C-alpha cells in the first residue's frame, strides 16, 4: 500500500531467470489502467526511466504535482465539505472494516485522501469509495454523525454500531491492516505514542508494530489503539477530542524527521510552541515508559498535566 | 464479546513488573483481551480485580453439563451468532424421545445401537429423553428405570408433575439428567428437586418475557444450571425465540438468557420432524428433542451437526500417513494424495471400490487439496519424497512405482528425479481411479 514516490518493487533473481523484464511492469500498468479506468482512459503509454539522474530530475517535477495536490487539500476542512467518503478497499481481507475519509483525516493506509476518494467515486460510482453525507450531528467534538454511524454499521456487516472520527479512546475508527502508523495509549505518561511500519523496534507500551498490528487490525474497535496515516499527525483533527497533538509523547525518530518543519508549524499553531517536537521522546531517549518519563518531566511535556486520558 | 484491552488494564496493578512475561501491564492486558494469555500469569492482581475481570469476561452463555462419566454432554458456552466469526463450540445434543406409553425397552435398545462411522468419524446420538405421557408417576419411574438400564447416555426427564419427576429422580439422579421442565405453576417444587439432586433444569415460559422472569425466580431460589425453553412449538416461532435468546445473550449480555436452550420437534411425519429439528439445530438450540429413531432419519441431522460445529478456520484434515485399503501386499499399488479430508476420503472410496488391495500415502499439506497444495509448494517433489521416506514406503513394497493425481502430472519429472521412483500419472478426477486401477493393476 503506497503511492506517489513511495512504491517499491523488486524483481527476484528467480523471476529474472524465468524471463521477467522491467518492461513487464509497463505492460502490467497499461493493462491495469485500461481495466480500472475504462471510462476515462483510451490509450496508455508508459515510459520507464532507468537513468538515476533523470529519475531525480523527474521526481522534482512530480513533487510539484504532489505539493499542489497537498496544498489543495490543506485548504479543505471537515467543516467546509458536505460529505465524507468511505473506503472499503480493504474489505477483501478485513470484511468488517470501513475507513471514513475526511478532508482532515486521510485513509489509514496514507494512500487515500478525501480528494482521491472523491475522484475515485467520480470515475467509478460503484467502486470502494462512496460519499457519506454529513447528516444528523450527534457529537461535534468527537465527530459522530447519524449518517456516518449508519454507513459504518451497514458496511461492517452490522458489527460496529458507532464510530467517532476524532477520538481514539471512545469508539474509535476500526483498523484494517495496512495502516502506516499505530497510535497506542501510554497510560504512564497520560499520553499517546505512535509507531510506524518502518520502525520495527520496541516501543514504550511494550509492543512492537507487528504485535500492535496483530491486536488492533482486522476491523475491530480497540479503544486506546488505532491505525492511522502518517499525514494524520499533522491534521487539526488529530485525535482532537482527546487533546490533539499535545498528547503525543513518543514517536520513532524517523517519523519526527520526515514530518519535520510541518510538525513544528503544527505544534506552534496548536499553541504548544515550536520546541514541542523536542519534548516528544523517541527511541534515542528510550523504549520503555521508565526510560522516557524522566525525559518528559525534565522537558515539561504538556501531556503530563493534561486531563487524565482514562 | 470480551472486555477491551483498556478495560482490562484498568484492573491490573500497572506496575510493569514483567513478572507475567509481558513487558508492560498494557501489553499483558492486550494479550488477555485477545485470549492469548491467562490472568493467572499475573502474580500481583488483587482478588477484587480478579473477580471483576472473571465476571466481566465470563462467557455470555453458561456451560451446562448433562450426564456422567464418558457420556457427559456439554451445552452452551457459545460466543458467536455467526459461525464464520469464530466457531461454534459445543455441538447440539440430539435427544431421541421415548414416551412412557410406548414399548420403552425396545426403543431404548434401538436408541443405544445408534452409531454411525463415516469418513473416519463417529456419529453419535448423544441423549435420550423420557417423557411422562401417561400421567402416572409409577409408570414414568418404571420407564426411566428401563431406559437407564439399556443405555448409559445422558438423559432428559420430561414431566410437568413434580411428583412424577421426584419418583424418576429417585432412580436416576446420580446420572445427572436434565430435568424438564420448571414452569410458572411448578417452578418452586421443580427447582427444589433439581437443586437438591444437583441436576440441570429446563425453565419453560409461555413466551420470551415470561421465560426471562421465570429464570430470575429460579436463580433467586439458588439454582443456576439452567436450560431455556420459550414455550413456543411452532417452527417459525421457535426459530425466532432461539435467535432472540442467542442475540440477547451474546450482543446485549442479557444475563437471564445466558443459558443454553432446548427445542422440541413436534411434527408427526419423521421426515418433516427431522427437517424441523434441523432448523433448530442450525439456529440455535443446544439440545433438540425428536421422536425419530431410525438411522436413515438421524444421519442427515448428525452430519449437519458435524458440519456446523467443525472449526471453519481450520481445513478438515486426516492424519498424514500411509493408509492400507484392504490387505495390501508388497506388490500392491501405491496412490498419492493430500491430507485434506474431502480429497482423501473420495480417493479412499474409489480405491476401495476398485477392489484391489492398495496403499494410499496422504502427504501433510496442512489439510488443503491437491491443486491448492501444489500452488503453495506444499505438494512438491521434495515434500512428497520426504513423506515417502518418513512412512518407510521402500520397505513395504517391492516395486518402486507410485501413482500421482492427474492434476499434478507436471510433478512427474521432478518427483522421479527426487525420489528415484517411477511415477505413474493417475486420472485427474478420483472418479477415474476405479477404471484406472482395473486397467493397470488387475
Amino acid at each position: 500500500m503506497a503511492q506517489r514516490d513511495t512504491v517499491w518493487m523488486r524483481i527476484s533473481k528467480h523471476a529474472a531467470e524465468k524471463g521477467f523484464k522491467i518492461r513487464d511492469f509497463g505492460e502490467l500498468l497499461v493493462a491495469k489502467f485500461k481495466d480500472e479506468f475504462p471510462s476515462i482512459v483510451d490509450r496508455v503509454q508508459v515510459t520507464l526511466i532507468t537513468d538515476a539522474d533523470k529519475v531525480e530530475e523527474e521526481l522534482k517535477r512530480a513533487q510539484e504535482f504532489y505539493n499542489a495536490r497537498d496544498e489543495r487539500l490543506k485548504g479543505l476542512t471537515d467543516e467546509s465539505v458536505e460529505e465524507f467518503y468511505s473506503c472499503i478497499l480493504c474489505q477483501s481481507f478485513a470484511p468488517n472494516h470501513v475507513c471514513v475519509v475526511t478532508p482532515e483525516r486521510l485513509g489509514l493506509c496514507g494512500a487515500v485522501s478525501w480528494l482521491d476518494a472523491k475522484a475515485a467515486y467520480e470515475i467509478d460510482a460503484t467502486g470502494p469509495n462512496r460519499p457519506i453525507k454529513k447528516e444528523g450531528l450527534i457529537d461535534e467534538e468527537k465527530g459522530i454523525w447519524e449518517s456516518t454511524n449508519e454507513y459504518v454499521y451497514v458496511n461492517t456487516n452490522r458489527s460496529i454500531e458507532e464510530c467517532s472520527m476524532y477520538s481514539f479512546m471512545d469508539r474509535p475508527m476500526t483498523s484494517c491492516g495496512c495502516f502506516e502508523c499505530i497510535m497506542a495509549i501510554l497510560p504512564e505518561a497520560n499520553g499517546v505514542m505512535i509507531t510506524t511500519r518502518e520502525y520495527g523496534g520496541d516501543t514504550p507500551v511494550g509492543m512492537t508494530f507487528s504485535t500492535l498490528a496483530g491486536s488492533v487490525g482486522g476491523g475491530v474497535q480497540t479503544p486506546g489503539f488505532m491505525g492511522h496515516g502518517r499525514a494524520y499527525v499533522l491534521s487539526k483533527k488529530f485525535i482532537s477530542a482527546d487533546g490533539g497533538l499535545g498528547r503525543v509523547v513518543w514517536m520513532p525518530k524517523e517519523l519526527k524527521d520526515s514530518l519535520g518543519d510541518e510538525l513544528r508549524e503544527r505544534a506552534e499553531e496548536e499553541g504548544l510552541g515550536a520546541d514541542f517536537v523536542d519534548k516528544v521522546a523517541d527511541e534515542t531517549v528510550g523504549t520503555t515508559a521508565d526510560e522516557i518519563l524522566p525525559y518528559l518531566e525534565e522537558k515539561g511535556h504538556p501531556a503530563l498535566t493534561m486531563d487524565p486520558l482514562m | 464479546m470480551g472486555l477491551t484491552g483498556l478495560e482490562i488494564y484498568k484492573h491490573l496493578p500497572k506496575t510493569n513488573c514483567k513478572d507475567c512475561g509481558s513487558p508492560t501491564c498494557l501489553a499483558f492486558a492486550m494479550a488477555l483481551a485477545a485470549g492469548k494469555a491467562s490472568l493467572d500469569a499475573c502474580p500481583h492482581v488483587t482478588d477484587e480485580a480478579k473477580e471483576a475481570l472473571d465476571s466481566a469476561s465470563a462467557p455470555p452463555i453458561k456451560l451446562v453439563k448433562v450426564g456422567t462419566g464418558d457420556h457427559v454432554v456439554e451445552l452452551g458456552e457459545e460466543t458467536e451468532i455467526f459461525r464464520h466469526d469464530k466457531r461454534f463450540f459445543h455441538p447440539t445434543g440430539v435427544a431421541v424421545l421415548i414416551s412412557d406409553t410406548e414399548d420403552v425397552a425396545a426403543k431404548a435398545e434401538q436408541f443405544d445401537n445408534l452409531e454411525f462411522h463415516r469418513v473416519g468419524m463417529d456419529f453419535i446420538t448423544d441423549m435420550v429423553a423420557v417423557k411422562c405421557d401417561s400421567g402416572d408417576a409409577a409408570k414414568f419411574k418404571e420407564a426411566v428405570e428401563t431406559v437407564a438400564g439399556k443405555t448409559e447416555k445422558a438423559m432428559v426427564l420430561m414431566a410437568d408433575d413434580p411428583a412424577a419427576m421426584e419418583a424418576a429422580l429417585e432412580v436416576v439422579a446420580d446420572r445427572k439428567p436434565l430435568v424438564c421442565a420448571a414452569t410458572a405453576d411448578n417452578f418452586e417444587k421443580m427447582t427444589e428437586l433439581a437443586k437438591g439432586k444437583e441436576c440441570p433444569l429446563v425453565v419453560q415460559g409461555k413466551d420470551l418475557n415470561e421465560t426471562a422472569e421465570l429464570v430470575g425466580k429460579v436463580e433467586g431460589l439458588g439454582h443456576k444450571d439452567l436450560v431455556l425453553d420459550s414455550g413456543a412449538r411452532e417452527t417459525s416461532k421457535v426459530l425466532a425465540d432461539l435467535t432472540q435468546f442467542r442475540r440477547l445473550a451474546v450482543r446485549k449480555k442479557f444475563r437471564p438468557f445466558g443459558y443454553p436452550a432446548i427445542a422440541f420437534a413436534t411434527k408427526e411425519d419423521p421426515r418433516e420432524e427431522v427437517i424441523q429439528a434441523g432448523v433448530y439445530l442450525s439456529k440455535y438450540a443446544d439440545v433438540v428433542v425428536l421422536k425419530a429413531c431410525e438411522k436413515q432419519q438421524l444421519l442427515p441431522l448428525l452430519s449437519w451437526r458435524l458440519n456446523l460445529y467443525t472449526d471453519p478456520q481450520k481445513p478438515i484434515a486426516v492424519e498424514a500417513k500411509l493408509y492400507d485399503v484392504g490387505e495390501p501386499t508388497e506388490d500392491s499399488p501405491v496412490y498419492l494424495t493430500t491430507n485434506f479430508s474431502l480429497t482423501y476420503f473420495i480417493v479412499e472410496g474409489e480405491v476401495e471400490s476398485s477392489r484391489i488391495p492398495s496403499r494410499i500415502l496422504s502427504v501433510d499439506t496442512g489439510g488443503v487439496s491437491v491443486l491448492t497444495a501444489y500452488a503453495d509448494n506444499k505438494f512438491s517433489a521434495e515434500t512428497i519424497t520426504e513423506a515417502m521416506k518418513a512412512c518407510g514406503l521402500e520397505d513395504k513394497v517391492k516395486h518402486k512405482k507410485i501413482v500421482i493425481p492427474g492434476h499434478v502430472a507436471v510433478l512427474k519429472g521432478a518427483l522421479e528425479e527426487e525420489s528415484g521412483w517411477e511415477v505413474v500419472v493417475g486420472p485427474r478426477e478420483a472418479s477415474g481411479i476405479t477404471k484406472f486401477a482395473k486397467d493397470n493393476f488387475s
Side-chain angles (χ1 to χ4, degrees), chain A residues 180-182 194-200 209 230 252 254-255:
Chain A
E180 289 184 299
C181 309
I182 299 174
I194 300 171
T195 186
T196 64
R197 194 171 284 275
E198 284 73 21
Y199 176 76
F209 181 87
R230 293 167 77 102
E254 179 270 329
L255 181 62

Side-chain angles (χ1 to χ4, degrees), chain B residues 47 73 86 90 94 104 120 139 169 175 286 319-320 324 405 441:
Chain B
D47 286 345
V73 179
K86 195 171 196 174
H90 294 108
V94 173
V104 176
K139 195 157 188 212
L169 279 175
R175 294 267 299 265
D286 297 274
E319 193 189 340
D324 290 350
F441 304 121

Side-chain angles (χ1 to χ4, degrees), chain A residues 169 185 187-188 205-207 225, chain B residues 4 6 9 16 23-24 26-27 30:
Chain A
M169 289 299 289
I185 180 172
E188 294 84 353
V205 285
M207 290 176 267
F225 301 84
Chain B
T4 66
L6 216 52
Y9 175 77
N16 296 342
T24 63
L26 189 60
M30 291 304 281

Side-chain angles (χ1 to χ4, degrees), chain A residues 126-168:
Chain A
T126 57
N129 304 106
R130 310 284 175 88
I132 309 171
K133 281 254 176 254
K134 271 171 34 187
E135 276 163 0
L137 182 69
I138 295 172
D139 189 325
E140 192 167 13
E141 195 195 333
K142 288 182 176 155
I144 309 177
W145 286 264
E146 275 171 25
S147 58
T148 50
N149 278 348
E150 195 195 318
Y151 185 91
V152 167
Y153 181 58
V154 171
N155 288 281
T156 55
N157 298 307
R158 298 172 183 254
S159 67
I160 306 294
E161 294 181 7
E162 291 167 306
C163 162
S164 62
M165 297 302 117
Y166 312 135
S167 173
F168 82 113

Side-chain angles (χ1 to χ4, degrees), chain B residues 55-117:
Chain B
S55 71
S57 62
I61 296 172
K62 194 172 186 275
L63 183 72
V64 173
K65 294 179 185 177
V66 184
T68 48
D70 293 339
H71 301 279
V72 174
V73 179
E74 296 189 330
L75 311 170
E77 212 164 60
E78 298 296 340
T79 57
E80 305 305 317
I81 293 173
F82 300 108
R83 172 182 177 267
H84 61 252
D85 284 335
K86 195 171 196 174
R87 64 168 296 184
F88 292 152
F89 293 92
H90 294 108
T92 306
V94 173
V96 170
L97 181 71
I98 303 177
S99 167
D100 68 348
T101 56
E102 63 186 320
D103 185 346
V104 176
K107 193 162 181 186
E109 204 154 307
Q110 187 189 5
F111 162 80
D112 200 50
N113 289 328
L114 281 176
E115 264 178 45
F116 314 88
H117 302 281

Side-chain angles (χ1 to χ4, degrees), chain B residues 76-364:
Chain B
E77 212 164 60
E78 298 296 340
T79 57
E80 305 305 317
I81 293 173
F82 300 108
R83 172 182 177 267
H84 61 252
D85 284 335
K86 195 171 196 174
R87 64 168 296 184
F88 292 152
F89 293 92
H90 294 108
T92 306
V94 173
V96 170
L97 181 71
I98 303 177
S99 167
D100 68 348
T101 56
E102 63 186 320
D103 185 346
V104 176
K107 193 162 181 186
E109 204 154 307
Q110 187 189 5
F111 162 80
D112 200 50
N113 289 328
L114 281 176
E115 264 178 45
F116 314 88
H117 302 281
R118 238 186 112 235
V119 289
M121 278 176 265
D122 299 331
F123 291 69
I124 294 165
T125 316
D126 33 22
M127 300 177 97
V128 58
V130 189
K131 189 175 181 192
C132 176
D133 282 323
S134 64
D136 179 348
K139 195 157 188 212
F140 181 56
K141 180 181 175 182
E142 194 193 318
V144 168
E145 204 164 6
T146 308
V147 173
K150 295 277 182 197
T151 179
E152 290 182 1
K153 287 178 184 163
M155 297 176 81
V156 184
L157 306 183
M158 295 169 63
D160 292 335
D161 176 12
M165 190 62 74
E166 190 168 8
L169 279 175
E170 271 169 31
V171 286
V172 293
D174 57 349
R175 294 267 299 265
K176 299 279 172 259
L178 176 59
V179 175
C180 180
T183 62
D185 301 326
N186 70 11
F187 77 91
E188 279 158 325
K189 185 74 186 134
M190 281 290 190
T191 307
E192 190 191 318
L193 278 172
K195 193 184 164 211
K197 304 282 187 192
E198 290 174 18
C199 293
L201 173 67
V202 174
V203 177
Q204 184 197 104
K206 286 201 177 65
D207 53 34
L208 289 173
N209 287 329
E210 199 193 277
T211 309
E213 204 177 300
L214 208 52
V215 166
K217 286 179 183 164
V218 173
E219 283 176 337
L221 294 172
H223 198 37
K224 295 200 167 150
D225 273 334
L226 309 179
V227 173
L228 307 170
D229 172 13
S230 73
R233 292 295 178 266
E234 191 195 328
T235 315
S236 61
K237 184 68 186 135
V238 176
L239 174 63
D241 287 355
L242 287 170
T243 307
Q244 290 303 340
F245 282 154
R246 177 67 63 93
R247 276 192 196 157
L248 286 162
V250 170
R251 287 231 173 107
K252 306 289 178 200
K253 287 226 170 187
F254 182 66
R255 286 296 179 189
F257 289 165
Y259 296 100
I262 189 168
F264 302 87
T266 51
K267 303 277 186 194
E268 285 306 319
D269 175 51
R271 184 174 153 272
E272 289 198 10
E273 195 195 21
V274 167
I275 294 171
Q276 193 186 19
V279 170
Y280 302 158
L281 199 145
S282 310
K283 292 186 169 204
Y284 291 94
D286 297 274
V287 181
V288 57
V289 180
L290 76 171
K291 297 180 287 293
C293 194
E294 299 291 339
K295 281 194 172 187
Q296 72 274 22
Q297 294 159 354
L298 288 167
L299 188 58
L301 201 60
L302 298 179
S303 307
W304 178 224
R305 175 176 73 174
L306 175 82
N307 282 318
L308 266 181
Y309 282 88
T310 48
D311 186 346
Q313 296 162 105
K314 280 191 207 140
I316 312 167
V318 293
E319 193 189 340
K321 62 167 192 180
L322 188 65
Y323 289 87
D324 290 350
V325 180
E327 281 169 22
T329 65
E330 52 187 18
D331 297 313
S332 300
V334 181
Y335 297 88
L336 182 77
T337 189
T338 75
N339 75 330
F340 176 41
S341 69
L342 287 184
T343 305
Y344 174 77
F345 285 112
I346 289 170
V347 170
E348 191 200 66
E350 294 296 331
V351 171
E352 212 170 68
S353 64
S354 76
R355 301 191 174 277
I356 298 168
S358 312
R359 289 187 175 84
I360 304 173
L361 175 59
S362 138
V363 178
D364 184 2

Side-chain angles (χ1 to χ4, degrees), chain A:
Chain A
M1 272 294 176
Q3 60 164 13
R4 298 189 172 179
D5 58 338
T6 60
V7 185
W8 267 72
M9 270 184 284
R10 285 198 282 190
I11 305 172
S12 69
K13 285 186 179 142
H14 198 61
E17 268 168 32
K18 293 264 159 95
F20 189 90
K21 298 236 176 333
I22 186 170
R23 176 194 168 83
D24 292 316
F25 282 130
E27 303 280 357
L28 287 167
L29 278 172
V30 170
K32 202 67 189 149
F33 268 97
K34 284 191 172 166
D35 183 46
E36 297 274 322
F37 310 114
S39 55
I40 52 169
V41 169
D42 193 19
R43 291 199 176 95
V44 184
Q45 178 184 321
V46 175
T47 308
L48 294 168
I49 305 168
T50 52
D51 175 352
D53 295 336
K54 188 89 197 299
V55 170
E56 289 301 326
E57 196 185 314
E58 289 293 323
L59 205 53
K60 274 191 200 116
R61 208 157 67 90
Q63 290 292 2
E64 285 167 27
F65 283 94
Y66 300 158
N67 292 341
R69 256 195 256 170
D70 289 346
E71 284 307 315
R72 208 179 134 209
L73 195 59
K74 264 187 199 157
L76 289 167
T77 61
D78 287 4
E79 287 77 18
S80 70
V81 297
E82 293 294 314
E83 72 251 314
F84 297 151
Y85 283 87
S86 67
C87 183
I88 53 167
L89 203 60
C90 291
Q91 289 207 339
S92 54
F93 65 87
N96 291 349
H97 170 71
V98 169
C99 262
V100 179
V101 180
T102 80
E104 292 178 274
R105 180 174 183 178
L106 80 172
L108 49 75
C109 57
V112 179
S113 71
W114 185 83
L115 285 173
D116 296 330
K118 187 170 157 58
Y121 171 68
E122 279 158 17
I123 293 167
D124 181 4
T126 57
N129 304 106
R130 310 284 175 88
I132 309 171
K133 281 254 176 254
K134 271 171 34 187
E135 276 163 0
L137 182 69
I138 295 172
D139 189 325
E140 192 167 13
E141 195 195 333
K142 288 182 176 155
I144 309 177
W145 286 264
E146 275 171 25
S147 58
T148 50
N149 278 348
E150 195 195 318
Y151 185 91
V152 167
Y153 181 58
V154 171
N155 288 281
T156 55
N157 298 307
R158 298 172 183 254
S159 67
I160 306 294
E161 294 181 7
E162 291 167 306
C163 162
S164 62
M165 297 302 117
Y166 312 135
S167 173
F168 82 113
M169 289 299 289
D170 183 17
R171 292 160 285 173
M173 208 155 86
T174 56
S175 303
C176 48
C178 23
F179 26 69
E180 289 184 299
C181 309
I182 299 174
M183 64 169 76
I185 180 172
L186 190 64
E188 294 84 353
N190 193 35
V192 57
M193 54 140 279
I194 300 171
T195 186
T196 64
R197 194 171 284 275
E198 284 73 21
Y199 176 76
D202 281 329
T203 71
V205 285
M207 290 176 267
T208 61
F209 181 87
S210 61
T211 312
L212 280 166
S215 41
V216 309
V220 286
Q221 225 162 21
T222 323
F225 301 84
M226 190 171 72
H228 63 92
R230 293 167 77 102
Y232 180 54
V233 182
L234 300 172
S235 165
K236 288 193 188 74
K237 290 292 192 293
F238 176 76
I239 55 169
S240 52
D242 308 313
L245 188 60
R247 284 284 184 196
V248 180
V249 293
W250 190 93
M251 66 169 82
K253 197 162 185 329
E254 179 270 329
L255 181 62
K256 234 194 228 182
D257 293 345
S258 91
L259 296 173
D261 290 340
E262 283 185 281
L263 189 61
R264 276 168 228 286
E265 280 164 33
R266 270 295 301 141
E268 249 178 312
E269 257 176 52
E270 286 279 300
L272 298 163
D275 64 340
F276 170 73
V277 180
D278 304 318
K279 294 179 183 169
V280 177
D282 55 38
E283 70 272 24
T284 61
V285 176
T287 53
T288 65
D290 286 345
E291 283 166 13
I292 68 164
L293 270 176
Y295 179 86
L296 298 174
E297 272 161 26
E298 185 198 317
K299 299 272 175 182
H301 193 288
L304 299 174
T305 52
M306 283 166 102
D307 290 340
L309 255 184
M310 309 205 326

